[in-house]
Amino acid sequence: MLRVLGNPKRLCTGVTRRDLITAGAALGLNLPAFLRAEARKTPPAGAGAATGHDKHFGRAKACILLFLYGSPSQIELADQKPDAPVEVRGELKSIRSTLPGCDVCELLPHTSRVMHNVTVVRSVTHPYPIHGVAYATTSIPEIDVSMELAPHDSKHWPFIGSTVAHLEQRRNPASAKRAVPDNIALPFPFSSQRTGEVQRAGPYPAFLGNQFHPHYTSFHGKATAKITKTLTDRTIEFDEPYAGIAPDSYFTLGGEHTADLTLDRMNTRKSLLDQMEDARRARDKSGSRDPFREMAYSLISSNAVRHALDVRRESAKTRESYGHMLFGQSCLAARRLVEAGSKFVTVFWDEFGLAGSGWDTHWEHYPRMRNELMPGFDRGFSGLISDLDQRGMLDDTLVMVLSEHGRTPKLSSAKGAGRDHWSQAYSVLLAGGGIARGKVVGKTDKIGGTVADRPVSPKDLLATAYHLLGYDLETTIADKTNRPVSIVPTGQVLRDVLA
């Protein structure tokens, strides 16, 4: 099994596993009680009822958010600058894509063949060049470093996936009992698998309450590639699942920060599951029904979730099309979850093993692009878009490739050249669910440093997603003071990205 770093005792809600496992079939007893205590009464749906919606409203039945933590360079992603000086354009060449006017990096050959299904927004901009995952994925109006490093700061707003799950339950209370829940995140709890820094803010339910925390998965598998990375004082080599994983890898629901997993502990878990099954049978005989107990059982024992996350059930050809790397197989699991009925699924390309990994290429930019980053993204993203399209699911499934910011147009000279944080201009990719096929929106200057046309805010991207998913922007949720606030107060729907 892959050894992952992080706290071995806490679940994604912050409650310890030991707390939940005490007293026999504890998950059958304590988790429902916890869910019940954490649940919040929400106002009825319908506040700010929509009028005059266009044909795109509610077009997307589901959303898959692909978040590239650390942030790729806009120049190497989809805003090539072949005529810029070498210190800007760098050492990678451009190749033609199927989207006219949008060449891509030579390390993206598979992506180049699906770009006719994609809308590229090249003019995203905001004033916060920090790892503001919360700013990119929530409606929080502003952010700073202290909030970035404090996931549970009271000023935070709920993650878009949490808001979607909340609104779905308001619209249809039975959605809480679905076999496959909304708001699932892969491949493991966010910012839990690297050493050296505190957890980052972003995918948390904030004032909606822990009932709407993302349902994280666990990854089960072995890394098959090694990465060498130079630190301040030394060079280290470590197993890197984003560069390659074994074909028998898969996911399960119930993400834990697990440092090691022995056979004895696996046997203990089997015993626990047996106890839970005994408790379920006793419950069925009694005829007792507790909605929070039902939620607990459904999350832990749902065959639909387990089957959806077991990517080994896919054909070898399909798995290969996504690439045998952690990001690609996570994208495949996301497609399977949406197909099974989940409304919102997130795949985080997160840091692993070391702080400053992921797409945070302050140094060794090109070696990491070649060996660690671009191949996995190329296969995963292109595999997802092609697969959704071939299955007739792309028109109903919104796919968003987001990050916190872009990277500096000019390469630094530190540690073998890198690109630093840059939020004045960067690119995102959108596809499906009412998004136009084959379009470029916005423009940057000659070096990809500033927006020259059609500035777009991260909040506009969120507003567009809510619109396509069928949530009117005037819909309100209750904040921490129980005051009604709009789901995205400062965003506007990007009409020019719609089909």
Side-chain angles (χ1 to χ4, degrees):
M1 297 293 285
L2 180 66
R3 293 175 60 87
V4 295
L5 304 176
N7 185 337
K9 300 186 180 183
R10 290 195 176 272
L11 302 180
C12 57
T13 60
V15 175
T16 65
R17 293 176 57 246
R18 182 170 296 144
D19 288 342
L20 292 180
I21 297 177
T22 53
L27 286 175
L29 300 173
N30 294 346
L31 181 56
F34 170 75
L35 292 169
R36 188 162 45 242
E38 290 295 330
R40 294 185 50 172
K41 184 176 180 181
T42 58
T51 57
H53 289 137
D54 59 33
K55 64 180 181 180
H56 306 95
F57 183 78
R59 177 80 171 272
K61 294 179 181 177
C63 177
I64 297 175
L65 168 59
L66 309 178
F67 196 93
L68 308 182
Y69 177 83
S71 305
S73 163
Q74 63 276 19
I75 292 173
E76 274 93 20
L77 185 64
D79 194 5
Q80 301 280 288
K81 301 294 180 182
D83 299 325
V86 65
E87 63 269 23
V88 172
R89 72 174 185 269
E91 61 187 59
L92 296 174
K93 295 181 174 59
S94 301
I95 59 174
R96 295 286 184 185
S97 81
T98 54
L99 172 54
C102 185
D103 293 352
V104 296
C105 170
E106 63 178 299
L107 298 179
L108 299 175
H110 294 89
T111 297
S112 73
R113 296 193 282 270
V114 301
M115 290 299 290
H116 60 285
N117 290 317
V118 176
T119 283
V120 178
V121 182
R122 287 176 167 167
S123 53
V124 187
T125 182
H126 64 80
Y128 305 107
I130 61 176
H131 290 300
V133 179
Y135 193 75
T137 63
T138 82
S139 296
I140 192 169
E142 56 188 20
I143 197 170
D144 55 32
V145 173
S146 63
M147 292 180 66
E148 174 199 337
L149 302 178
H152 305 293
D153 189 301
S154 62
K155 295 188 290 294
H156 278 302
W157 282 57
F159 175 57
I160 180 175
S162 299
T163 303
V164 166
H166 171 79
L167 295 176
E168 280 298 292
Q169 287 194 28
R170 279 171 49 177
R171 176 188 295 175
N172 176 19
S175 68
K177 298 180 181 180
R178 287 175 183 162
V180 180
D182 301 320
N183 194 22
I184 301 175
L186 298 103
F188 36 67
F190 179 67
S191 74
S192 67
Q193 306 306 319
R194 53 91 171 101
T195 59
E197 292 186 14
V198 300
Q199 288 187 321
R200 304 282 178 163
Y204 297 91
F207 50 72
L208 290 180
N210 279 340
Q211 180 184 1
F212 297 103
H213 200 292
H215 301 295
Y216 284 110
T217 66
S218 292
F219 169 64
H220 304 271
K222 286 184 178 180
T224 58
K226 292 186 179 295
I227 290 293
T228 298
K229 186 172 181 182
T230 301
L231 303 180
T232 304
D233 56 347
R234 67 193 187 282
T235 298
I236 65 171
E237 183 180 69
F238 58 95
D239 294 337
E240 178 54 78
Y242 285 106
I245 57 174
D248 60 352
S249 302
Y250 65 101
F251 306 89
T252 58
L253 193 64
E256 299 172 326
H257 304 193
T258 307
D260 56 5
L261 191 59
T262 66
L263 183 60
D264 288 343
R265 289 179 66 195
M266 285 292 288
N267 288 338
T268 299
R269 290 186 181 191
K270 183 177 185 300
S271 175
L272 176 59
L273 289 173
D274 289 341
Q275 294 176 59
M276 288 172 54
E277 187 60 23
D278 291 341
R280 183 190 63 77
R281 283 192 288 265
R283 175 206 61 182
D284 290 343
K285 287 181 179 179
S286 71
S288 172
R289 284 294 180 269
D290 178 331
F292 294 97
R293 188 178 298 275
E294 294 296 328
M295 184 188 301
Y297 279 114
S298 70
L299 295 184
I300 296 164
S301 60
S302 166
N303 284 331
V305 174
R306 186 160 54 249
H307 290 174
L309 287 171
D310 190 353
V311 293
R312 297 171 299 182
R313 293 172 174 268
E314 288 287 342
S315 70
K317 181 179 178 181
T318 298
R319 294 198 71 189
E320 180 61 31
S321 72
Y322 281 81
H324 283 292
M325 291 158 273
L326 183 56
F327 180 72
Q329 295 302 298
S330 297
C331 289
L332 174 55
R335 188 271 290 166
R336 289 174 59 84
L337 287 165
V338 164
E339 198 170 31
S342 185
K343 185 79 172 181
F344 199 99
V345 181
T346 306
V347 175
F348 287 104
W349 187 311
D350 204 355
E351 294 176 301
F352 183 85
L354 293 172
S357 56
W359 291 81
D360 199 21
T361 55
H362 289 284
W363 52 80
E364 297 183 320
H365 179 76
Y366 289 110
R368 291 182 59 201
M369 293 279 280
R370 286 191 171 93
N371 302 323
E372 176 189 352
L373 301 171
M374 282 297 200
F377 175 78
D378 184 42
R379 297 301 300 274
F381 177 69
S382 65
L384 177 63
I385 297 300
S386 296
D387 198 12
L388 288 172
D389 195 29
Q390 291 168 9
R391 292 171 181 271
M393 295 174 61
L394 187 58
D395 286 340
D396 296 331
T397 307
L398 173 63
V399 179
M400 308 176 73
V401 180
L402 305 183
S403 60
E404 309 96 284
H405 46 64
R407 305 205 76 82
T408 50
K410 188 174 180 180
L411 288 156
S412 70
S413 58
K415 299 180 183 177
R419 297 191 190 271
D420 298 322
H421 298 181
W422 189 261
S423 64
Q424 293 185 39
Y426 64 104
S427 299
V428 305
L429 309 180
L430 307 173
I435 296 293
R437 294 194 183 216
K439 194 171 185 179
V440 177
V441 173
K443 183 170 65 175
T444 59
D445 64 8
K446 293 181 179 180
I447 63 170
T450 60
V451 172
D453 179 58
R454 185 61 172 105
V456 170
S457 162
K459 309 308 176 188
D460 298 333
L461 298 169
L462 299 181
T464 303
Y466 282 127
H467 180 78
L468 291 173
L469 288 166
Y471 309 114
D472 189 87
L473 299 190
E474 295 182 6
T475 301
T476 61
I477 53 178
D479 70 7
K480 61 183 179 181
T481 65
N482 211 32
R483 178 176 59 97
V485 293
S486 169
I487 54 175
V488 55
T490 59
Q492 296 182 344
V493 175
L494 299 172
R495 303 286 174 183
D496 44 358
V497 308
L498 304 181

